[in-house]
Amino acid sequence: MAQVLNASNTSGVYIKLETTPGTFVAPAGGDFVPTVGTPKFTPRGPGIIRRADVMTPYGGELAAKTGGIGWDISFTTELYWNFGSNAFTANPTGTNTVLYALLRSCPFKIASGGTNDFKFISQALYDLSASRSVANNQCSTFSIAYEEIGAKRYEAKGCVCIPKFSFEAGGKIMVEWSIKGQWRPVTDSTPLVPTYTYPAPLIGTNASLSVISPLGGSTSALAKVTYDPGFALSDVLDAKEEYGMGIAMISLTSSPSIELEVADLSENLQPAWGDAQSNLVQSTALDVTLTIAVDTSVVFTLNEPQLVQWPTPGESNGYRNIGLKFAGIVNANSVADIGSIGFYSPV
């Protein structure tokens, strides 16, 4: 069974982009990333196995290294974004969000939705690069240090990650991060002290569906929204690496999806459930807009959406909430932007 190393309340997570993918860059106090709850760091791979009783022509013991060692890391953060930052750039920085290193290390295509607007779009193909080119199909890597009071410390390099976003009515937008990184022996235990400035986490004051969408504008309330970009992480073994693990691969293994808990669903004005039974792929995008403040919003979008999960007859709770799941479908009419999360503010 893999050992899970849980961080304590006195721990810190520090993340820094790498100038060369897979080459460790030591984070500093300003690279602190605030997490919610308990981060988990799990060593993976069979690791180093010492076989003490194997005789060789030269006698003595034989120490054998089998497989590889890497880190599986997971933690949750609140969503931070500075809507008053500089104009769009394909490489977001700390000016945009304290989470910029994480967002740049996902295989998102980062596109402009306007002068100051950012869209993070799911894409299937990418290259590793320290900076994104004009083609915008790169994925960066980062180094991470996790440290507790008393200088207990773990480090990883060549890290890539995938996020999952969620929001409940009137609450903060949360992000669950799954990370794979290469093992690195700790050589420096000098304690890190957080030094950071960042805006308050985003709180949605309202959630709404686009008027022209699979559910239409008659849906009056959303209790919960979850957006999954559709990515998956896979291990890569590399015999040339000291510990056997290469930089992990990210692939778009499933369609980007939006799950909704819909309250007060109008039975008279909604499209017929026959559309769901016929698996109709809609030609109109599904947009879920989370209003942050006047003229600022976070928008989850699926193009070519299809209802892929719907409640059984009679399924509801005391507030008449029902759970629905839509997926962005790739077909002959699909556009390149299958699913995205966008940050929108006035020009």
Side-chain angles (χ1 to χ4, degrees), residues 13-64:
V13 174
Y14 302 82
I15 292 176
K16 189 175 183 66
L17 285 173
E18 295 173 344
T19 53
T20 301
T23 300
F24 183 78
V25 178
D31 301 309
F32 177 79
V33 173
T35 61
V36 177
T38 304
K40 294 181 180 179
F41 290 71
T42 308
R44 71 181 189 277
I48 298 175
I49 301 174
R50 189 171 183 82
R51 299 182 296 192
D53 298 324
V54 177
M55 297 301 295
T56 72
Y58 307 100
E61 299 178 350
L62 175 65

Side-chain angles (χ1 to χ4, degrees), residues 32 74 80 87 105 110 142 145 180 190 214 221 250 256 262-263 273 299 323 344:
F32 177 79
S74 62
Y80 299 89
S105 299
I110 303 180
F142 62 84
K180 283 186 182 292
T190 303
I250 305 177
V262 183
W273 285 106
V299 181
Y344 297 94

Side-chain angles (χ1 to χ4, degrees), residues 51-122:
R51 299 182 296 192
D53 298 324
V54 177
M55 297 301 295
T56 72
Y58 307 100
E61 299 178 350
L62 175 65
K65 183 171 71 174
T66 62
I69 311 176
W71 282 117
D72 282 335
I73 305 168
S74 62
F75 53 74
T76 299
T77 67
E78 297 162 334
L79 183 57
Y80 299 89
W81 191 265
N82 180 13
F83 290 96
S85 63
N86 297 328
F88 170 81
T89 170
N91 291 288
T93 67
T95 303
N96 303 108
T97 173
V98 70
L99 305 175
Y100 74 98
L102 289 160
L103 290 171
R104 283 172 56 173
S105 299
C106 305
F108 284 122
K109 177 181 179 181
I110 303 180
S112 173
T115 303
N116 299 314
D117 300 335
F118 287 73
K119 285 182 68 177
F120 294 84
I121 303 168
S122 295

